[in-house]
Amino acid sequence: MTNRETGLELEVALSDFQEVIWIKYGKLQTAEVDPRYYRLPISISYEGEKPTRKVDFVAPGVMLVMTFFLHSGLTSSVIILERNSGLWERNSVLGVTDYEIVLSFLLVMSFFAFLNSLIVVGTVYFLYSVPCEGSLVLVFVLVFLQSMNGEVFGFLCSVIAKSITQVNFINLGFYYPFIHLSGVVTSIDSMSPGIRYIGYLFPLTLAIKAVRKIQSKGYGLFHLVVVAGFVSTLVWTVILSCMILGILAYRRVRMRK
């Protein structure tokens, strides 16, 4: 069994269905068969709120992963095309610094990140009617910041890679670890301690946890989980930006030699 939680949910559903069948067609049973034999040994009942649906649990992770890698691929493809066409070198000859190039790309792509984040949040919470107990503004801001984070990551991939094919391989190489270790499908708290610590190193983990708590518990901006989601997102954006500028500066120095 690859997912214990899903397996238990499926086991309960099959048991309930089997019990209904045996009770409904009780006349077909023999005298030796008791329909209560097919019931679970414990009675499962819920007081107050019902447990979270799988769709509601997965929605925050899907939103953040989708926006992150969408803008990562978009940004890296645009930069690779401009670099192959010689536009990057012409700007450098005209005196445009690496910092100005990075900042201009991020400012231009932030417009698309804003629109995409607006569409994603609206689709999930209004079209698919996923309930949200907290502020949708906080959710939107986190999704937007992760979109910007994806743009910076895509910029870094385009700086390292030499072609769109290499960029696609890098994105795919990071996509599946992000899916499985960032708490998208299963909670990060249900993982083993070693895997959990590795998962916390990914830029999406704390942000997914923050959006999930805003959505299900109604946490505000100053709750520790939400603050951690915002801080981790901004820290990763700064780290990736510094890596980009460092690689570009190293290449400039190497070319001068």
Side-chain angles (χ1 to χ4, degrees):
M1 184 182 298
T2 57
N3 192 319
R4 184 180 180 185
E5 296 177 359
T6 304
L8 291 175
E9 292 177 3
L10 183 61
E11 184 179 352
V12 171
L14 290 175
S15 177
D16 292 339
F17 179 75
Q18 190 177 36
E19 180 183 349
V20 171
I21 293 296
W22 276 94
I23 293 176
K24 184 176 181 180
Y25 299 100
K27 295 180 180 180
L28 301 178
Q29 303 172 14
T30 60
E32 293 80 10
V33 178
D34 187 354
R36 291 176 296 180
Y37 172 77
Y38 294 94
R39 295 178 181 176
L40 290 176
I42 58 175
S43 177
I44 301 177
S45 61
Y46 306 103
E47 296 182 1
E49 298 181 357
K50 293 184 178 181
T52 305
R53 297 183 305 168
K54 197 69 176 179
V55 175
D56 302 340
F57 181 84
V58 174
V62 172
M63 283 193 303
L64 294 180
V65 169
M66 182 172 61
T67 54
F68 184 92
F69 282 99
L70 175 63
H71 289 279
S72 172
L74 177 63
T75 305
S76 57
S77 300
V78 171
I79 294 175
I80 288 290
L81 291 175
E82 289 194 1
R83 195 173 65 186
N84 291 339
S85 64
L87 182 60
W88 192 301
E89 286 74 12
R90 289 196 293 270
N91 290 332
S92 300
V93 171
L94 293 174
V96 181
T97 62
D98 295 333
Y99 174 78
E100 292 171 343
I101 293 176
V102 173
L103 184 61
S104 62
F105 266 108
L106 294 182
L107 288 177
V108 172
M109 299 303 294
S110 64
F111 174 74
F112 298 99
F114 180 85
L115 290 180
N116 182 60
S117 302
L118 194 63
I119 293 172
V120 169
V121 173
T123 301
V124 170
Y125 292 106
F126 293 101
L127 184 60
Y128 291 107
S129 301
V130 175
C132 182
E133 300 294 334
S135 173
L136 284 177
V137 176
L138 288 179
V139 175
F140 170 77
V141 173
L142 258 178
V143 174
F144 172 72
L145 291 178
Q146 281 297 334
S147 301
M148 297 296 297
N149 206 2
E151 291 179 4
V152 180
F153 179 76
F155 204 117
L156 178 62
C157 293
S158 65
V159 170
I160 297 174
K162 297 181 180 179
S163 64
I164 296 180
T165 303
Q166 293 182 2
V167 167
N168 292 333
F169 276 116
I170 294 174
N171 282 326
L172 287 176
F174 280 97
Y175 178 77
Y176 289 103
F178 274 50
I179 287 288
H180 295 291
L181 299 179
S182 296
V184 176
V185 180
T186 58
S187 175
I188 190 73
D189 298 324
S190 63
M191 300 179 183
S192 61
I195 301 298
R196 188 187 311 157
Y197 296 145
I198 296 175
Y200 278 122
L201 297 177
F202 288 87
L204 291 177
T205 304
L206 294 177
I208 291 174
K209 195 172 184 179
V211 174
R212 192 167 286 150
K213 293 301 181 181
I214 294 172
Q215 173 185 299
S216 61
K217 302 294 184 181
Y219 286 177
L221 177 61
F222 298 103
H223 195 279
L224 183 60
V225 176
V226 180
V227 172
F230 278 96
V231 171
S232 66
T233 302
L234 296 175
V235 167
W236 269 106
T237 303
V238 173
I239 291 174
L240 295 175
S241 300
C242 292
M243 292 176 64
I244 293 170
L245 295 175
I247 294 174
L248 292 177
Y250 172 76
R251 289 183 176 178
R252 287 287 182 93
V253 173
R254 190 176 178 182
M255 289 176 61
R256 291 174 183 175
K257 292 182 179 180

